[in-house]
Amino acid sequence: MTIELSLERVAHGGYVVGRHEGKVIFVTGGLPGERVIAEVTERGRSFDRGHVVDVLEPSVGRVEPPCPIAGQCGGCDWQHADQATQLGLKTAVVAEQLQRLAGIEWDGSVEAVPGGLTDWRTRVRYAVTDDGRVGFRARRSHEVVPLPPQGCLIAADGPSVEELDGYANLGEDVRVTVADGSVTVLAGRMVVGPDPVFQRVGGRRYAVTADGFWQVHPEAAETLSRAVLDGLRPQRDERALDLYCGVGLFAGALVDAGCVVVGAEMGRAAVELARRNVREARFVTGPIERAQRDLPDWADLVVLDPPRKGAGASVVRAIAEREPRAIAYVACDPAALARDLATFAREGYSPVSIRAFDLFPMTHHVECVAILHPDHGRA
């Protein structure tokens, strides 16, 4: 069924909100202020979902998507918007999530980073079609949309589509990792290229497994490290915890600032690399919720970079109990950040700054760094 909609505001997840006969419709492919024809694809009790099939009155920020499969692929959300509009949409989402879930009135804006809107994603996982071609899954679907001849426009320079298709029969997905001076392809049990790979940040060289976690934008690690250090202002010999430390990115930055650092991470392979990457720090292995007994009960500073779901109340309380003078929370989801900030507020910590960075251009994702201090009167 197709309907005519006047689109109102942006919503978290790459959607824009419209209303039809009093019911909320979350649509993709639109922009706030537009009048569109939308196809309803999913019906629910309280809201429906759909996508734009025709634009009757376009927004001034609308552009022609540079990728021919932008409307089908589930990877990009905002290819139909210029850069200024994308930044504005993401700013509105961050502000709305912080206000609604944490009661925080944020007047900041999402900051662009060098590099533009394309050719930035250094870690890409391609799905494989039934006939042996690589592509991406459609939004909210198991259907695989094959890559166009030019490949994925947001992916960093790597194998051609023909080369990727050649790996497609080796597994259910094909992963490509572009690191400092190297390209690695993982397909099934085959690994073509170096593993681990190496990334250089702030004078340090970090080893990372080719299929392990590392920020996907080439400017991300440096940008986030700088934001954390600028916010915490670490002093020599201060004691710091790096939670969800991965292979030691923030631990390395804190050690180089003169801190005594203990890191914690659930993944054993990541911790082994963290010990290799930052020999001056100590690291423990295990889920953060259960690793508290292995961590010092002190901390002048805490950095946490949890997964998309956030840290959760038990971890937040454990951090607050250590009474650090400052906390840096690195978040890849503004809703999870807002929920955890609300918990921190109940434990006596409030943000003194929240910065947001456009480290995922063309998509709805955004990375935030919140710096928290104890409320007035807390020890």
Side-chain angles (χ1 to χ4, degrees), residues 231-255:
L232 291 180
R233 300 178 182 272
Q235 305 300 310
R236 182 162 296 280
D237 296 327
E238 282 194 309
R239 304 163 298 178
L241 296 181
D242 180 12
L243 306 182
Y244 312 92
C245 67
V247 300
L249 171 64
F250 298 119
L254 290 165
V255 162

Side-chain angles (χ1 to χ4, degrees), residues 28-29 51-52 65 67-74 76 79-80 138-139 145:
T28 59
H51 67 265
V52 171
C67 177
I69 64 169
Q72 307 165 51
C73 168
C76 290
Q79 283 207 16
H80 57 286
R139 179 185 286 267
V145 181

Side-chain angles (χ1 to χ4, degrees), residues 176-200:
V176 176
T177 296
V178 179
D180 287 357
S182 70
V183 177
T184 302
V185 179
L186 302 97
R189 296 183 178 181
M190 176 179 284
V191 179
V192 180
D195 187 16
V197 299
F198 294 91
Q199 309 277 174
R200 189 170 293 279

Side-chain angles (χ1 to χ4, degrees), residues 120-139:
W120 56 266
R121 192 175 183 96
T122 60
R123 288 173 179 252
V124 185
R125 173 175 287 193
Y126 298 98
V128 177
T129 66
D130 291 338
D131 60 352
R133 300 175 62 194
V134 297
F136 295 109
R137 299 199 183 277
R139 179 185 286 267

